[in-house]
């Protein structure tokens, strides 16, 4: 029996069919009991989607982490690993924990989680920019880069606390026995502090990205305007290894790539200090994921014995800031803000041919109009009494100093931006990033409803002409159904949209999107991305986060069923995990144990709590 089969089969003698008082299991599945817990166990015939997805993850496993794909992406990527862990939890909670532990083991002293952790066994010429370009252990010394592992110096979207919380929920017993959350919490808290303090370059409370690779949607037209200020690196100063694995017509242009390299070079040569570069953008997806992860970090604090209310309140304040700075009511979606852009810093959007430089032709000059802001903002959560006895001293300090840290944000990380930042300007490009704040529970209802309409309208065609939501406006001047992040549909962004639709009560639309995602994953061979109209596979096949999020979607009926029974069945009898993962974990030397869910109850703040790569990646 191979390891992939061990990942997915039911263990004979330890699981037996059972009938419950809850809703019937979905067709083709069995409701079974394991150690007194209710779990969902779909049939896995040979060649099933579940088994094939598991095989992708097994094939891309290195022993301590999972590569996105062995050819084009042979190292560990930050937000990939977070999404991968979310899927892996259904197969092996131990491996999912290890995935995150490996990534956070490369965290820098200033709190940043690097976007690449390099595998020293991979030849330097297999990927560019390679470790000898980033020089993390020397150029990043002042920022606390690790000395024993080589990393990049930029970051990626902060999905990590969300992933850690979901992984914990998959097997709370294993998580507690390994002190998983108590080891992760201080690192995740430091990561959030870095983003909220050092990266508030616009002075409005939101985190800025300082390189297109950081946002994850590397080649989005949203970056054309701010990139036009950057002098590209000389073409002969670098070699594009990405073209060894993909067509030039589908990849970033040489001009854009030269600008990516220039930005990264300047950041490196400046000791990876924030706020000194020519590129700073507040992105709605990056900040929405930070807010969702802040809610998750609050849940982790509660699991460890603290109240978590300060973090929930901060998440709601950040939601209000997101609406204030990035929402455009006339266009019905969120837009990126170029912190250093605009026509003089009065906060107006780019107008006419305001891109400047050699930006693409055809910018939708009047698309945004004047910036009007909704007065409806997320209500601040009320502070409640803390029960912090179970937290370690450094964790109690991180939780109790939340408000003090926010007060310091204008003085620490934003010190450079105080001297040079301005209100900036919204960038008139419709990206799928502008829909992703749907994942936020405190988003005003009218804004959520408007986002749903925009997603189904002519610009994204969700549920209509498009099989999956495209990465960029179907009617936009730069739309290309195959070129990286300029039109193709990606599985992680659509997975987030599916969760957002479900969170805001759009269950029918969410189910349609879920079905389309599963069908496309099946027919595309777990492609990295696809043509949004036809589902034609593009990029790498056997892509890890596509396989991982497919597994999560396959388990979605279990979460809905469990939530429905939650008021009737004591939570100590629930496990959102899978029998059969122990057979795999035992291969790695972890003894079986009895899992049990947390008895701690709290009001869910998001669909993630209830259970309901971009570019060349640097």
């Amino acid at each position: 029996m191979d390891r992939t089969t061990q990942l997915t089969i039911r263990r004979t003698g330890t699981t037996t069919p059972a009938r419950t008082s809850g809703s019937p299991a979905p067709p083709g599945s069995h409701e079974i009991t394991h150690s007194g817990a209710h779990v969902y166990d779909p049939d896995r015939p040979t060649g099933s989607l579940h088994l094939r997805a598991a095989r992708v993850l097994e094939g891309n496993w290195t022993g301590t982490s999972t590569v996105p794909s062995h050819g084009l992406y042979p190292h560990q990527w930050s937000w990939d690993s977070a999404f991968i862990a979310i899927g892996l939890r259904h197969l092996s909670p131990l491996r999912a924990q290890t995935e995150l532990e490996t990534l956070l083991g490369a965290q820098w002293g200033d709190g940043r989680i690097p976007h690449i952790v390099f595998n020293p066994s991979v030849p330097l010429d297999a990927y560019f920019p390679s470790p000898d370009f980033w020089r993390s252990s020397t150029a990043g010394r002042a920022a606390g880069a690790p000395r024993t592992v080589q990393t990049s110096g930029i970051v990626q979207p902060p999905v990590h606390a969300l992933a850690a919380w979901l992984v914990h929920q998959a097997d709370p017993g294993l998580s507690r026995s390994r002190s998983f959350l108590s080891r992760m919490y201080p690192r995740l808290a430091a990561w959030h502090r870095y983003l909220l303090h050092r990266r508030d370059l616009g002075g409005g409370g939101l985190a800025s990205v300082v390189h297109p690779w950081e946002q994850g949607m590397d080649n989005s037209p949203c970056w054309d305007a701010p990139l036009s200020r950057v002098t590209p690196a000389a073409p002969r100063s670098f070699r594009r290894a990405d073209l060894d694995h993909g067509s030039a017509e589908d990849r970033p242009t040489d001009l854009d790539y030269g600008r990516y390299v220039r930005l990264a070079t300047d950041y490196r040569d400046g000791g990876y200090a924030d706020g000194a570069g020519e590129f700073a953008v507040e992105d709605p997806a990056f900040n929405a994921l930070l807010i969702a992860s802040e809610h998750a970090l609050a849940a982790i604090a509660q699991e460890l014995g603290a109240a978590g209310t300060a973090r929930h309140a901060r998440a709601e304040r950040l939601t209000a800031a997101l609406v204030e700075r990035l929402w455009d009511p006339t266009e019905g979606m969120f837009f990126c803000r170029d912190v250093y852009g605009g026509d003089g810093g009065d906060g107006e959007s780019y107008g006419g041919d305001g891109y400047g430089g050699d930006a693409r032709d055809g910018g939708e000059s009047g698309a945004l109009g004047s910036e009007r802001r909704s007065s409806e903002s997320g209500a601040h959560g009320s502070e409640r009494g803390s029960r912090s006895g179970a937290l370690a001293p450094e964790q109690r300090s991180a939780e109790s100093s939340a408000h003090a840290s926010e007060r310091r944000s204008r003085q620490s990380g934003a010190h450079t931006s105080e001297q040079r930042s301005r209100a900036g300007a919204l960038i008139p490009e419709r990206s799928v990033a502008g829909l992703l704040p749907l994942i936020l529970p405190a988003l005003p209802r009218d804004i959520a409803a408007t986002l749903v309409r925009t997603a189904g309208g002519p610009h994204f065609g969700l549920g209509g002409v498009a099989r999956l939501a495209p990465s960029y406006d179907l009617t936009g001047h730069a739309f290309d159904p195959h070129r990286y992040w300029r039109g193709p549909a990606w599985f992680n962004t659509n997975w987030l949209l599916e969760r957002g639709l479900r969170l805001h009560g759009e269950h029918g639309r969410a189910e349609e999107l879920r079905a389309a995602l599963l069908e496309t994953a099946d027919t595309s061979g777990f492609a990295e991305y696809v043509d949004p109209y036809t589902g034609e596979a593009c990029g790498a096949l056997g892509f890890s986060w596509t396989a991982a999020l497919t597994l999560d979607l396959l388990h979605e009926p279990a979460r809905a069923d469990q939530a429905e029974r939650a008021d009737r069945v004591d939570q100590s009898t629930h496990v959102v995990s899978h029998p059969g993962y122990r057979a795999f974990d035992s291969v790695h030397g972890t003894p079986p144990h009895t899992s049990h869910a947390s008895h701690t109850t709290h009001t869910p703040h998001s669909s993630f709590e209830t259970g309901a790569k971009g570019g060349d990646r640097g």
Side-chain angles (χ1 to χ4, degrees):
M1 181 185 303
D2 64 24
R3 287 186 180 180
T4 308
T5 304
Q6 288 179 315
L7 274 166
T8 57
I9 64 167
R10 289 194 292 270
R11 297 192 347 160
T12 304
T14 61
T15 60
T16 56
R19 303 173 73 174
T20 71
S21 59
S23 301
S29 67
H30 301 288
E31 188 93 37
I32 62 177
T33 60
H34 180 71
S35 302
H38 296 286
V39 293
Y40 171 70
D41 190 40
D43 283 334
R44 290 169 190 78
T46 301
S48 70
L49 186 61
H50 186 284
L51 185 60
R52 286 186 285 121
R55 284 175 174 159
V56 169
L57 296 179
E58 175 63 24
N60 289 340
W61 176 250
T62 68
T64 55
S65 64
T66 310
V67 299
S69 69
H70 279 290
L72 186 53
Y73 308 118
H75 302 286
Q76 183 179 24
W77 264 260
S78 173
W79 75 327
D80 289 73
S81 279
F83 288 120
I84 290 164
I86 289 170
L88 273 176
R89 68 191 171 116
H90 299 297
L91 303 177
S92 168
L94 175 60
R95 179 175 285 189
Q97 291 178 27
T98 302
E99 185 80 36
L100 295 174
E101 290 164 352
T102 300
L103 178 67
L104 269 67
Q107 187 174 24
W108 289 31
D110 64 2
R112 81 182 74 193
I113 297 175
H115 98 297
I116 301 176
V117 180
F118 289 106
N119 183 343
S121 67
V122 174
L124 288 178
D125 62 357
Y127 187 84
F128 179 84
S130 53
D132 58 344
F133 172 87
W134 294 104
R135 307 171 196 165
S136 60
S137 59
T138 55
R141 185 177 301 154
R147 296 183 179 181
T148 58
V149 62
Q150 294 295 313
T151 75
S152 65
I154 59 176
V155 302
Q156 275 192 321
V159 200
H160 311 89
L162 173 60
W165 177 240
L166 292 178
V167 168
H168 163 79
Q169 287 183 308
D171 193 332
L174 174 67
S175 176
R176 293 179 188 130
S177 70
R178 301 185 68 247
S179 301
F180 173 66
L181 290 183
S182 62
R183 288 184 291 110
M184 292 293 101
Y185 183 87
R187 291 181 175 275
L188 293 168
W191 168 224
H192 285 207
R193 284 197 300 273
Y194 168 78
L195 292 173
L196 291 170
H197 301 168
R198 303 297 181 90
R199 289 300 189 89
D200 183 11
L201 302 179
L206 299 181
S208 293
V209 296
V210 299
H211 195 290
W213 290 336
E214 291 197 314
Q215 194 267 357
M217 304 178 194
D218 309 5
N219 194 38
S220 171
C222 294
W223 318 136
D224 291 352
L227 277 177
S228 68
R229 297 189 296 267
V230 178
T231 302
R236 294 182 180 180
S237 65
F238 59 90
R239 188 189 76 84
R240 294 188 57 179
D242 64 312
L243 297 182
D244 296 340
H245 303 275
S247 169
E249 288 75 20
D250 295 343
R251 307 294 298 178
T253 65
D254 287 341
L255 176 62
D256 284 337
Y257 208 97
R259 286 169 168 157
Y260 302 156
V261 173
R262 172 65 66 190
L263 277 176
T265 301
D266 290 348
Y267 194 39
R268 177 200 67 199
D269 293 346
Y272 296 110
D274 294 310
E278 294 302 313
F279 185 99
V281 175
E282 295 172 353
D283 174 76
F286 191 99
N287 281 280
L289 288 169
L290 174 59
I291 296 167
S293 281
E294 190 69 15
H295 280 304
L297 202 56
I300 293 172
Q302 287 179 295
E303 165 66 22
L304 295 174
T309 51
R311 290 198 176 278
H312 282 310
R314 176 191 286 144
E316 290 170 356
R317 289 193 295 273
L318 288 169
T319 301
L322 186 75
V323 172
E324 174 64 25
R325 290 184 65 79
L326 305 185
W327 173 249
D328 189 282
T330 63
E331 297 301 319
M333 66 180 299
F334 291 86
F335 289 87
C336 293
R337 179 177 290 276
D338 181 359
V339 172
Y340 303 146
D343 55 3
D346 59 357
E348 293 302 311
S349 61
Y350 286 95
D353 59 355
Y355 286 116
D358 57 352
R360 273 74 177 171
D361 294 333
E364 295 171 282
S365 58
L368 295 178
S370 62
E371 296 183 34
R372 293 192 294 271
R373 292 291 168 259
S374 169
S375 61
E376 294 185 41
S377 61
H380 291 187
S382 59
E383 296 297 325
R384 297 180 176 85
S386 170
R387 59 183 205 285
S388 59
L391 287 174
E394 68 274 14
Q395 295 160 343
R396 290 199 301 270
S397 174
E399 178 69 17
S400 63
S401 64
H403 294 300
S405 296
E406 287 187 4
R407 289 194 298 270
R408 292 195 300 270
S409 67
R410 302 298 181 271
Q411 303 169 3
S412 58
H415 65 280
T416 305
S417 67
E418 288 178 355
Q419 301 171 5
R420 59 167 297 182
S421 73
R422 45 191 179 178
L426 294 186
I427 301 171
E429 298 288 2
R430 297 180 183 89
S431 160
V432 70
L435 304 178
L436 294 188
L438 267 177
I439 66 176
L440 300 179
L443 197 66
R445 290 184 179 180
D446 63 328
I447 291 180
T450 301
L451 284 176
V452 172
R453 289 195 297 272
T454 300
H459 298 294
F460 295 95
L462 190 61
V465 296
R467 179 176 296 194
L468 299 176
S471 51
Y472 176 68
D473 183 359
L474 294 171
T475 69
H477 66 98
F479 174 77
D480 185 328
H482 290 170
R483 190 180 285 276
Y484 236 63
W485 292 108
R486 289 179 172 263
W490 294 73
F491 285 79
N492 63 332
T493 55
N494 278 269
W495 179 86
L496 289 166
L497 278 176
E498 193 267 355
R499 292 306 183 275
L501 289 168
R502 205 172 293 277
L503 171 63
H504 291 283
E506 298 287 342
H507 298 289
R509 287 185 173 91
E511 188 56 36
E512 288 178 4
L513 180 53
R514 174 181 175 270
L517 278 163
L518 292 175
E519 179 185 4
T520 305
D522 189 10
T523 58
S524 72
F526 304 102
E528 181 181 1
Y529 55 100
V530 299
D531 183 305
Y533 291 119
T534 67
E536 175 190 349
C538 303
L541 301 183
F543 200 70
S544 288
W545 79 26
T546 303
L549 297 178
T550 295
L551 287 170
D552 193 64
L553 291 168
L554 286 171
H555 283 256
E556 191 164 83
R559 294 201 297 276
D561 186 52
Q562 288 162 351
E564 191 173 307
R565 296 197 309 265
D567 292 334
R568 298 191 299 271
V569 183
D570 186 270
Q571 288 198 8
S572 64
T573 66
H574 281 268
V575 180
V576 188
S577 64
H578 219 278
Y581 71 76
R582 292 185 182 86
F584 176 79
D585 287 350
S586 64
V587 173
H588 297 278
T590 300
H593 64 279
T594 300
S595 302
H596 57 282
S598 172
H599 62 274
T600 302
T601 60
H602 66 280
T603 302
H605 284 255
S606 74
S607 60
F608 297 105
E609 289 188 45
T610 60
K613 140 173 48 105
D616 44 77
R617 298 159 175 254

